[in-house]
Amino acid sequence: NAGVTQTPKFQVLKTGQSMTLQCAQDMNHNSMYWYRQDPGMGLRLIYYSASEGTTDKGEVPNGYNVSRLNKREFSLRLESAAPSQTSVYFCASSEFSTVNTEAFFGQGTRLTVV
Amino acid sequence: TQLLEQSPQFLSIQEGENLTVYCNSSSVFSSLQWYRQEPGEGPVLLVTVVTGGEVKKLKRLTFQFGDARKDSSLHITAAQPGDTGLYLCAGARRNTGNQFYFGTGTSLTVIP
């Protein structure tokens, strides 16, 4: 099983450019998430989708937009990249319907904005 | 501000030593997970604890959930170089839209 697949793995953008990070999961999970990880700050939630057709802001949504295209896919868009958005981005999915819930993560996208 | 605070942030120990990592919050969680992350990879689940006071063991790792379901600890006995990595705790809450709240992380280095 592929699990959670993110593309691209690496990206360099110039300030002001736009891009979309893609994420797909093959585990039929209801919930999907986008996090960013910066040194010393753990994982911070950008946006999440509790179920297909819904999206909500997380802790750090400014400068980002998301689309839950279908149950499998959840994309993250940077409309006008800024150096402060240099980070490692992780997509995750979860069933979140049982007591022993778990988040499954992709391998991450390392984004540098120059 | 982070909902979950982990301590210590960095830990460097010799092989064979014991260590404890703490994960604290003022909020109650329906469950709490511990993840381990290797460089260049996403976090991978180690354990989930659900009941207040619950203790789970995974070989040399012992996880405990606080009685009030607000805090947790991870204890490693006789650490080995293979334990090196970033350890993250995460609290799950259903009443806020199926969110996971991650701690600040503890970077562990075990020196041979």
Side-chain angles (χ1 to χ4, degrees), chain B:
Chain B
T1 56
Q2 300 279 142
L3 202 59
L4 283 164
E5 294 290 338
Q6 280 183 243
S7 61
Q9 186 175 356
F10 298 97
L11 195 53
S12 181
I13 62 172
Q14 295 289 330
E15 181 176 358
E17 292 184 348
N18 302 331
L19 66 115
T20 301
V21 177
Y22 299 94
C23 175
N24 295 302
S25 177
S26 57
S27 299
V28 176
F29 296 98
S30 55
S31 66
L32 195 138
Q33 294 100 39
W34 283 93
Y35 293 80
R36 183 172 159 222
Q37 185 179 17
E38 307 244 3
E41 302 288 333
V44 176
L45 182 74
L46 292 173
V47 77
T48 298
V49 285
V50 176
T51 306
E54 181 177 3
V55 176
K56 279 192 175 180
K57 292 191 175 183
L58 188 66
K59 296 183 181 178
R60 294 176 293 99
L61 279 61
T62 302
F63 305 86
Q64 184 164 9
F65 201 10
D67 290 342
R69 306 206 327 269
K70 294 181 179 180
D71 52 77
S72 180
S73 64
L74 158 60
H75 182 79
I76 301 179
T77 303
Q80 298 177 1
D83 295 327
T84 294
L86 180 67
Y87 290 81
L88 294 157
C89 65
R93 298 171 76 182
R94 285 194 178 77
N95 60 354
T96 54
N98 295 0
Q99 287 192 54
F100 293 93
Y101 297 86
F102 279 84
T104 45
T106 295
S107 179
L108 171 66
T109 302
V110 182
I111 303 166

Side-chain angles (χ1 to χ4, degrees), chain A residues 74-106:
Chain A
F74 188 39
S75 62
L76 177 72
R77 182 160 178 84
L78 286 71
E79 291 291 351
S80 178
S84 61
Q85 293 178 306
T86 293
S87 187
V88 181
Y89 291 85
F90 286 99
C91 176
S93 71
S94 172
E95 181 54 33
F96 221 109
S97 62
T98 64
V99 171
N100 286 321
T101 193
E102 172 184 355
F104 292 83
F105 286 84

Side-chain angles (χ1 to χ4, degrees), chain A residues 6-64:
Chain A
Q6 288 182 236
T7 56
K9 286 187 169 48
F10 300 93
Q11 184 72 48
V12 179
L13 289 179
K14 293 183 179 179
T15 298
Q17 286 185 319
S18 62
M19 78 161 295
T20 299
L21 281 65
Q22 306 287 353
C23 175
Q25 52 96 4
D26 62 3
M27 295 171 282
N28 201 37
H29 286 162
N30 292 322
S31 302
M32 296 186 73
Y33 311 84
W34 277 105
Y35 292 91
R36 61 177 289 172
Q37 186 172 38
D38 302 291
M41 302 194 74
L43 289 162
R44 292 185 293 169
L45 183 64
I46 305 171
Y47 271 93
Y48 66 101
S49 172
S51 60
E52 186 179 359
T54 68
T55 61
D56 285 286
K57 295 178 181 180
E59 181 185 358
V60 287
N62 291 344
Y64 306 94

